[in-house]
Amino acid sequence: MQVPEALMESVVRGWRDLSTRLVQIGRDRPEGAAGIFVNPPVTRGSTVLFSSLEAMDAAGQRRYDDELIYGAMGTPVQHRLEQAIAELDGGRYGQIVPSGLAACALPFLAYVSAGDHCLLSDSVYGPTRRFADRVLRRFGVEVTYFPPLADEDELRALVRPTTRLIYAESPGSHSFEVQDIPMLGRLAASIGARLVVDNTWGIGLFDPFAAGAHVSVQALTKYPAGHSDTIIGAVSVASEQDWRLLRDTAIQAGQTAGPDDCWLTLRGLHTMGVRQERQAATAIAVALWLHERPEVRRVLHPALPSCPGHENWKRDFKGASSLFGVVFDPAFDAADMAAMIDSLTLFGIGASWGGYESLVLPTTGSISRSCRSVTQDGPACRFHIGLEAGDALLADLEQGLGRMAASRDGRAGA
Ligand SMILES: *Cc1c(COP(=O)(O)O)cnc(C)c1O
């Protein structure tokens, strides 16, 4: 599948530009020592021993300076990873937490109290929504979902005097709407609320702070770790005051990540540029191929005009990731799509994404929404494209679509 040059460039440019920085990021400089290993050691530990009580007190006073106090308050490799993620995300400070979902929950725990109100995009990651509905509401926090592409007037009508936090995720989980984050940033600033953006898809490609966000949420489980072997997350922030509050809250809530997970993620980060340059290039080729298939009603890839909010992607992003959605023609049903998915040999069936391997997951019926989404126009699924050869993936999809048509024809004949 030939991808027009300008389109390909718009998809891979950001990853190529990042590669050089990613090689160096988080690396030690050989200052005191004559030589050092390229990668930092893993420091496993709970208790840190001090030479005196005075030294222990002094370390406690410097707890925001990456001082070693106790394993639950951070290890050297965690602090290294925090700096790397903050730099990559366009922020200044980072806090590592044990999962992407822990990162989604942390800003609510830090900023919101009983009686406060939060506005969440209707397209947020499902478990974030469940945290809001089942935990936040139980603690007396009010939650309203807004259409991901709502304009400023629609949003202003939903704002209350108690609105403390606006939470966006762009592109949206499963439905891939690319949100107008700069507009949300202006709105948040005008009402004195915090804007939190789940930037997992756009890591390294979108700068949420330049768009007015206060906190960027990252599921590092995805592209940074990159090998489907770790669960880990981070928040990054631009202001030191926000960071102190988020770090204190993470420690108070016992959100500690293991040093081995931090180390794996730091290692994955160094190759993320080249993995993603390749995966994003294959993904846009597969997306375009699907776009031209008669079985497909709509491809939800932010770099294509068929994706809701594509104009925002064009304005705000330096590239694209390798995760996108497809909505099939409503002549097919969920069972036809299941026949296609079950027949694929190169696409694993499973949750998550961001590893080196291709995945597929149905998105029909499995997501809750308050507003209508394009994923309801026909059976829908989500593809994650890995490092396999594009031709092999297309051949697998070709036979899969054949199975889907045979399933539909079987129903029509029955
Ligand atoms: C996967 C994901 C998360 C959660 O990450 P985990 O590490 O699996 O907890 C959060 N947000 C987005 C957008 C995700 O894709």
Side-chain angles (χ1 to χ4, degrees), residues 6-73:
L7 176 59
M8 183 59 92
E9 183 61 13
S10 73
V11 165
V12 301
R13 173 170 53 101
W15 296 116
R16 200 179 50 229
D17 292 351
L18 267 183
S19 294
T20 306
R21 193 144 61 92
L22 285 171
V23 168
Q24 306 253 343
I25 210 163
R27 190 192 284 179
D28 248 340
R29 310 269 169 252
E31 274 162 21
I36 52 159
F37 287 109
V38 172
N39 293 306
V42 184
T43 313
R44 299 191 187 88
S46 54
T47 300
V48 175
L49 296 176
F50 297 90
S51 57
S52 66
L53 283 176
E54 194 186 350
M56 190 178 186
D57 285 343
Q61 298 296 319
R62 293 195 303 270
R63 68 184 187 282
Y64 298 112
D65 299 333
D66 291 349
E67 198 67 43
L68 302 180
I69 297 166
Y70 180 55
M73 298 166 86

Side-chain angles (χ1 to χ4, degrees), residues 101-131:
L101 182 56
C104 299
L106 183 60
F108 292 104
L109 298 177
Y111 294 120
V112 173
S113 304
D116 286 345
H117 174 240
C118 302
L119 277 172
L120 278 79
S121 168
D122 200 34
S123 58
V124 295
Y125 177 63
T128 303
R129 188 182 188 103
R130 282 194 285 281
F131 173 77

Side-chain angles (χ1 to χ4, degrees), residues 99-102 104 125 169 173 198 200 219 221-222 231-232 352-353:
S99 69
L101 182 56
C104 299
Y125 177 63
E169 181 177 325
S173 260
D198 185 329
T200 299
T221 306
K222 308 295 165 56
I231 298 281
I232 189 164
S352 201
W353 48 276

Side-chain angles (χ1 to χ4, degrees), residues 117-119 152 155-166 183-195 214:
H117 174 240
C118 302
L119 277 172
E152 194 169 338
L155 285 164
R156 285 202 182 273
L158 298 175
V159 165
R160 303 179 193 170
T162 52
T163 305
R164 290 278 170 275
L165 193 151
I166 302 177
M183 181 271 283
L184 291 174
R186 289 191 298 275
L187 175 71
S190 76
I191 62 169
R194 285 280 180 278
L195 173 63
H214 301 89

